[in-house]
Amino acid sequence: MAKVLTLLVLRLLMNLLLIGWISLWLIKPTTLWIQSWRQAEDTAKHTFFGYYGLNFAVFSFPPIALSIVGLIYLSLLPQHHHPTRGGRSAAITVSRPAIVNSFIGIVSCFEILALLLFLLFLAWNFYARVSNDFKKLMPVKTLNLNLWQLKYYRVATRFGLLAEACLSLLLFPVLRGLSMFRLLNIEFAASVKYHVWFGTGLIFFSLVHGGSTLFIWTITHHIEEEIWKWQRTGRVYIAGLISLVTGLLMWITSLPQIRRKNFEVFYYTHHLYIVFLVAFLFHAGDRHFYWVLPGIFLFGLDKILRSVQSRSESCVLSANLFSCKAIELVLPKDPRLNYAPSSFIFLNIPLVSRFQWHPFSIISSSSVDKHTLSIMMKCEGDWTNSVYNKVEEAANSEKKINNITVRVEGPYGPSSVDFLRYDNLFLVAGGVGITPFLSILKELACKNRLKSPKRVQLVFAVRTFQDLNMLLPISSILFNPINNLNLKLKVFVTQEKKSSNGTTTLQEFLSQSQVQSIHLGTDEHYSRFPIRGPENFRWLATLVLITVLTFLGFLIGLSHILIPSEHKNHSGVMKLAASGAMKTAKEKVPSWVPDLIIIVSYVIAITIGGLAATILPWRGKHREAPRMSKEEVIKPGERNFTELKPIPLIEEHEIHTGERPKLEEIMSEFEKNLRGWSSIGVLVCGPETMKEDVASMCRKWPQCFGVEDSGRNRMKMNLNFHSLNFNL
C-alpha cells in the first residue's frame, strides 16, 4: 500500500513539473511575464543565488527534475512489469495509424495531436512576439531601414525563437539511459523520428531567421559591418552563421539517401553538434541558452554514462554461421541482468573496427537464457560481412582464436512487456526483421507465463529459401507442442518457386539446413566477461542529482568571482527593483563571459558525473557473477535447432512461394477463430514498405469498431499497431 501511494505521489509530482515547464513556455512571450521576470532578476542578482542561479532554477531545472523523479518512479515499478490486459476501454486507441505515407512515414493519432499542439504553441509564440514588436517598432541604430524592412527584420528575428523552441526538445528523443520517453513506454528506436522532426523544424526556422537577416544586411549594404560585430552585450552574429552552416551540414548528411548508403559520413558529421551548440550559445546569449540547456545537460551526461558502460569488455562465447549469410553471436551475461523482449544492444568489435557501433535486436529471452545473450546479424554491409569473415576465419584457421573481444552498450528496450497486454498477437516480419520476434516467441513459450496472448499468427516474408534459416533459433517452439501458445506460421518466399534441396515443408527444410557452430569462449569467460547492462534507475537518479548540483554550484560560484555586481550592498536599488519603480539591466559585462561560465561549469559537472559513474559502482562492476554449473553450459553443438524430429501431431506451418503476403486475407482468416471482444497486438518489423502496408491494414480494418458476425453475435476487434525498428 505504501509503495502504491509513493508511485501516485511521484506521478503527481511529474505531472506538476511538466505542466509548470509548459506553462513557462506559454507565458514567456507575454508583456506581464517580461516585466515580472526582469524585476525578479534585478532582485535575485543581489542575493547569493544570483541572476544566473535564478535563470537555471526556473528555466532549466524543471525538466531535469522531471528526469530525476521519473527515474525514481521507474525504479519502484516491478522490473519489466506487465501492463493490464486490454479491456473494452481500449477499443479506440491513440496509437492507431492516422497517416500512412511513403514520404512522411507512419503517424499515429497521438502523434498528430501532439504535433498540432506544438505547432499551435509555435504560432502563439510567434504572434505574441511579433505583435508586440510591431506596436513598439524601434529603428536599429546601425541600420538605415524603411518600414517594411524593419518589420521584415523583426519577423526574421522572431523566427530564431521558433528554432530555439525546436532545439530545446531536440535531444530528449535520443537519450538512451536517461530517456523520459520510458515513462510513456516509447522505445528509443521509435522516438528517434521525433528527433528528426524537431531537427527539420530547427533547420527550417534557422534558415528563415539567418537567411532573412543576411538578406536585409545585403540590401542595406551593412553585411560586412554587421556579421563581424562582437557586441559587448548582445549577439555574436558570426557565431550564428557558424551554427547555421554546421546545423545544415548535419541535416543534409542525415537524410535517408546519405545515412543508409554512407553511415560513417552521417555518424562523424553529426559530431559537429558540439560546434553547433557552442556557436548557438555565443550567438543567442546565456538568457536564451537556459531554455535549451536541459536537453543538452541530460544528453551530455547520457553520453558519459554510455561511454563508461562501453569500456567494459566482453567476449563471444560461440557463433553459429547460417547458409543465408546470417550469424548468431552468443555473449555471456550476468544472470542478474534482465531485459524485456524486443530489446536491443549497440555492439562494437575492435577486431573489425574500434570506432563503429551498430544496433542489433536481442533474439534470446532473459527468462529462458540466464547466463547468455544472443544476437543475430544479416551480412548486408561491409561491417557485418567483416564480422562473418572473421568468425569463419577463426573456425577454419589452424591457429585457433580463443575469443573475440566485444564491447556492448545496453540492453535498451521497453520498460514493460507491452505485448502481453493483448489477447492475441499478429506478427509480420520481413527478412532480418524477424529478430525481435524471436525473443518475443521465446518469452511466450515460458512455462510459467500465465497471462499472455494465447493465439499468435506470424507472417514471415523472405526473398529466398536460405533466409528461412533465421527461424532455426525458435525451431523447438515451432515444431513442439506448447501448452499455453497456439502459434501459426505463414512463410512467403517471394523470389523462388522451390527449394534447392527439394523439400516441401518448413520442418523438412530446417532439419536439412547446414549450420556451422563455432565454440570460441571457455567456461571461465562466463564469469570473467559478463554483460552487466546499464545501472539501475535509482543509481542514475542519484548521479543526475549530483551532477546538477555540481553544475549549479560552479555556475553561481564562478558568476560571483568573474562578474562583479555594480550595485552590490545597495539595498535601495533592491527595494526599487522589487517595487517595479526601476528597471535595472543585466550587468554590463562582455557577452562572452557568462557564456564561458556556462561552458566551464558544464564541462566540470559532466566530468565529475563521469568520474562518479566510474568510481561509485566499482564494487558492483567488479563483483564476480555467479558461476555456471557444467549442466548449464550450452556448447554450440548441443543447441536444440540442430536436431528436428518429425512430430505428426503438430499442424504443419504454411510455405507460399513466388508471392507476397496478402495481409488482409490473412487477418480475416485469423479473426475467424476469435469469439467475442478481442484485442490484437499487430507488430511489424521489416522494410518501410511492409510497415506501411500493415499500418494501412490497421487503419482501414472494419472490425476495429465492431461489426455483425453472421447476424448473430456482435464482435469487437481492436487492432493495436506497433512498429519495431531494427535499423536506426
Side-chain angles (χ1 to χ4, degrees):
M1 184 64 184
K3 188 175 182 180
V4 174
L5 182 60
T6 303
L7 289 173
L8 290 175
V9 172
L10 291 175
R11 189 178 301 175
L12 177 62
L13 182 57
M14 287 188 291
N15 290 331
L16 291 176
L17 287 169
L18 180 61
I19 293 172
W21 195 53
I22 294 174
S23 300
L24 285 175
W25 278 96
L26 292 175
I27 65 176
K28 176 187 175 184
T30 62
T31 304
L32 177 62
W33 169 260
I34 294 173
Q35 294 175 351
S36 303
W37 183 246
R38 285 176 179 172
Q39 294 174 15
E41 286 180 333
D42 290 333
T43 303
K45 69 182 179 181
H46 300 283
T47 65
F48 174 79
F49 205 52
Y51 158 85
Y52 302 96
L54 178 66
N55 273 266
F56 176 79
V58 175
F59 300 139
S60 302
F61 187 68
I64 298 175
L66 177 61
S67 175
I68 295 173
V69 177
L71 289 169
I72 297 174
Y73 177 83
L74 290 173
S75 70
L76 295 177
L77 291 176
Q79 193 168 33
H80 309 307
H81 65 285
H82 303 159
T84 305
R85 292 290 292 273
R88 292 184 179 272
S89 60
I92 300 177
T93 174
V94 292
S95 67
R96 186 168 179 259
I99 298 177
V100 180
N101 183 274
S102 57
F103 178 75
I104 300 176
I106 303 168
V107 185
S108 68
C109 299
F110 173 78
E111 290 168 342
I112 289 180
L113 178 62
L115 184 60
L116 289 176
L117 290 175
F118 183 67
L119 293 176
L120 186 62
F121 157 73
L122 293 180
W124 152 249
N125 199 310
F126 183 75
Y127 168 77
R129 293 288 190 178
V130 171
S131 61
N132 189 48
D133 288 343
F134 285 0
K135 291 177 183 177
K136 304 175 182 179
L137 277 177
M138 296 291 290
V140 182
K141 294 180 180 180
T142 58
L143 300 176
N144 186 19
L145 304 178
N146 58 36
L147 183 60
W148 78 266
Q149 291 172 343
L150 182 58
K151 287 186 175 181
Y152 185 57
Y153 187 72
R154 294 301 182 194
V155 169
T157 302
R158 296 313 179 188
F159 265 96
L161 295 180
L162 303 185
E164 176 187 311
C166 293
L167 179 58
S168 67
L169 300 173
L170 178 67
L171 297 176
F172 287 116
V174 290
L175 298 177
R176 298 179 191 172
L178 301 177
S179 176
M180 289 186 285
F181 284 87
R182 291 187 185 183
L183 298 170
L184 301 175
N185 206 34
I186 298 177
E187 297 183 43
F188 167 76
S191 66
V192 168
K193 70 177 178 181
Y194 307 139
H195 174 74
V196 175
W197 292 357
F198 289 130
T200 302
L202 168 65
I203 295 302
F204 172 76
F205 294 130
S206 298
L207 279 174
V208 176
H209 168 67
S212 300
T213 303
L214 293 173
F215 170 72
I216 291 295
W217 289 347
T218 301
I219 63 175
T220 57
H221 308 290
H222 289 88
I223 185 167
E224 293 184 4
E225 176 186 348
E226 291 292 327
I227 202 169
W228 294 105
K229 185 177 295 183
W230 192 294
Q231 300 184 25
R232 181 176 176 81
T233 56
R235 306 291 177 262
V236 181
Y237 295 118
I238 186 63
L241 183 61
I242 294 173
S243 182
L244 177 61
V245 172
T246 53
L248 189 60
L249 183 61
M250 286 190 292
W251 182 78
I252 291 174
T253 55
S254 66
L255 294 173
Q257 296 84 349
I258 298 177
R259 186 183 73 248
R260 292 173 183 171
K261 295 181 180 180
N262 299 282
F263 183 82
E264 285 76 15
V265 174
F266 153 75
Y267 178 76
Y268 291 115
T269 305
H270 242 57
H271 283 78
L272 289 173
Y273 70 85
I274 300 175
V275 178
F276 173 83
L277 293 174
V278 172
F280 172 82
L281 171 59
F282 281 99
H283 172 63
D286 64 291
R287 186 186 295 274
H288 290 274
F289 195 75
Y290 285 112
W291 290 96
V292 304
L293 181 58
I296 299 171
F297 185 89
L298 292 175
F299 178 76
L301 185 57
D302 190 71
K303 288 279 287 186
I304 290 292
L305 290 173
R306 287 155 45 191
S307 176
V308 170
Q309 185 201 355
S310 62
R311 288 175 55 194
S312 300
E313 292 185 345
S314 185
C315 65
V316 178
L317 293 176
S318 62
N320 296 290
L321 304 179
F322 302 102
S323 56
C324 61
K325 289 291 287 185
I327 179 173
E328 177 188 2
L329 300 180
V330 181
L331 312 175
K333 84 170 185 68
D334 192 313
R336 295 162 294 192
L337 172 61
N338 295 313
Y339 50 84
S342 76
S343 295
F344 64 97
I345 62 172
F346 283 85
L347 184 69
N348 169 264
I349 303 181
L351 187 63
V352 177
S353 173
R354 289 186 175 275
F355 303 105
Q356 291 190 46
W357 291 80
H358 295 268
F360 295 100
S361 296
I362 300 175
I363 66 171
S364 56
S365 168
S366 59
S367 301
V368 179
D369 303 309
K370 295 293 185 181
H371 297 271
T372 58
L373 178 151
S374 303
I375 63 168
M376 180 183 291
M377 61 181 74
K378 190 77 161 59
C379 300
E380 297 177 338
D382 294 338
W383 190 87
T384 49
N385 275 303
S386 297
V387 174
Y388 190 96
N389 294 334
K390 291 291 183 183
V391 174
E392 192 173 37
E393 180 183 339
N396 300 329
S397 175
E398 296 181 359
K399 187 177 180 180
K400 186 175 178 58
I401 299 177
N402 291 329
N403 68 295
I404 297 178
T405 301
V406 299
R407 293 186 293 170
V408 174
E409 184 189 318
Y412 301 112
S415 59
S416 65
V417 189
D418 192 65
F419 61 87
L420 293 179
R421 72 167 67 235
Y422 303 116
D423 303 310
N424 308 279
L425 287 179
F426 190 85
L427 312 178
V428 183
V432 73
I434 191 65
T435 49
F437 298 140
L438 300 181
S439 64
I440 288 177
L441 291 175
K442 288 181 179 180
E443 185 76 12
L444 291 175
C446 291
K447 295 180 180 179
N448 297 325
R449 188 67 65 195
L450 299 177
K451 295 181 179 180
S452 64
K454 302 304 179 185
R455 298 182 60 85
V456 179
Q457 174 68 68
L458 175 59
V459 181
F460 185 32
V462 293
R463 294 179 180 177
T464 65
F465 274 92
Q466 290 297 329
D467 291 334
L468 296 180
N469 288 334
M470 288 185 284
L471 293 173
L472 283 170
I474 57 167
S475 56
S476 60
I477 299 175
L478 292 174
F479 303 111
N480 289 281
I482 299 175
N483 296 329
N484 61 344
L485 183 63
N486 185 347
L487 173 63
K488 183 66 180 295
L489 171 64
K490 291 182 182 291
V491 173
F492 292 82
V493 183
T494 59
Q495 297 182 3
E496 289 184 354
K497 291 291 184 180
K498 60 180 180 178
S499 63
S500 57
N501 56 12
T503 57
T504 58
T505 66
L506 180 63
Q507 189 170 1
E508 290 177 353
F509 179 84
L510 294 181
S511 62
Q512 298 180 22
S513 297
Q514 298 295 321
V515 181
Q516 186 178 7
S517 297
I518 304 164
H519 189 57
L520 297 170
T522 64
D523 294 351
E524 293 183 359
H525 289 142
Y526 285 93
S527 57
R528 288 183 59 193
F529 303 105
I531 298 170
R532 302 185 188 276
E535 296 292 346
N536 64 71
F537 293 123
R538 197 170 302 178
W539 186 91
L540 290 175
T542 304
L543 184 64
V544 175
L545 183 60
I546 291 173
T547 309
V548 73
L549 291 178
T550 303
F551 175 81
L552 184 60
F554 276 94
L555 180 69
I556 296 174
L558 292 175
S559 299
H560 280 286
I561 295 172
L562 300 177
I563 303 179
S565 175
E566 295 178 359
H567 304 287
K568 213 175 250 188
N569 300 322
H570 289 193
S571 59
V573 174
M574 293 180 61
K575 293 178 180 178
L576 288 172
S579 63
M582 175 181 177
K583 291 183 180 179
T584 306
K586 186 175 150 184
E587 284 83 10
K588 300 295 183 180
V589 296
S591 60
W592 57 267
V593 174
D595 299 342
L596 192 61
I597 288 174
I598 291 177
I599 293 174
V600 172
S601 301
Y602 177 81
V603 171
I604 293 175
I606 294 298
T607 302
I608 291 177
L611 291 174
T614 305
I615 297 171
L616 290 181
W618 187 87
R619 291 185 178 180
K621 288 292 184 184
H622 291 76
R623 185 171 54 188
E624 186 173 299
R627 291 185 175 273
M628 297 180 65
S629 63
K630 293 183 178 180
E631 292 76 13
E632 291 178 306
V633 178
I634 302 176
K635 297 296 189 295
E638 299 171 356
R639 297 186 70 85
N640 53 25
F641 57 69
T642 55
E643 295 183 5
L644 297 176
K645 299 179 180 179
I647 303 177
L649 297 178
I650 298 299
E651 181 180 2
E652 182 55 56
H653 303 293
E654 300 177 11
I655 297 183
H656 302 266
T657 59
E659 61 176 308
R660 298 182 181 277
K662 299 177 180 178
L663 297 173
E664 293 188 14
E665 293 182 5
I666 300 173
M667 177 61 78
S668 297
E669 180 183 347
F670 179 63
E671 60 89 16
K672 284 181 182 179
N673 297 320
L674 306 180
R675 293 292 181 267
W677 187 92
S678 179
S679 64
I680 299 179
V682 181
L683 283 67
V684 57
C685 186
E688 292 300 320
T689 53
M690 173 178 282
K691 294 178 182 178
E692 292 167 8
D693 291 341
V694 176
S696 298
M697 178 193 69
C698 293
R699 185 181 59 178
K700 65 183 180 181
W701 190 256
Q703 291 191 349
C704 285
F705 302 100
V707 296
E708 297 293 334
D709 179 24
S710 303
R712 293 173 294 180
N713 300 322
R714 184 171 178 82
M715 291 183 60
K716 285 189 177 181
M717 186 171 67
N718 177 30
L719 303 185
N720 298 268
F721 175 81
H722 299 275
S723 174
L724 304 180
N725 294 337
F726 63 92
N727 185 18
L728 303 180

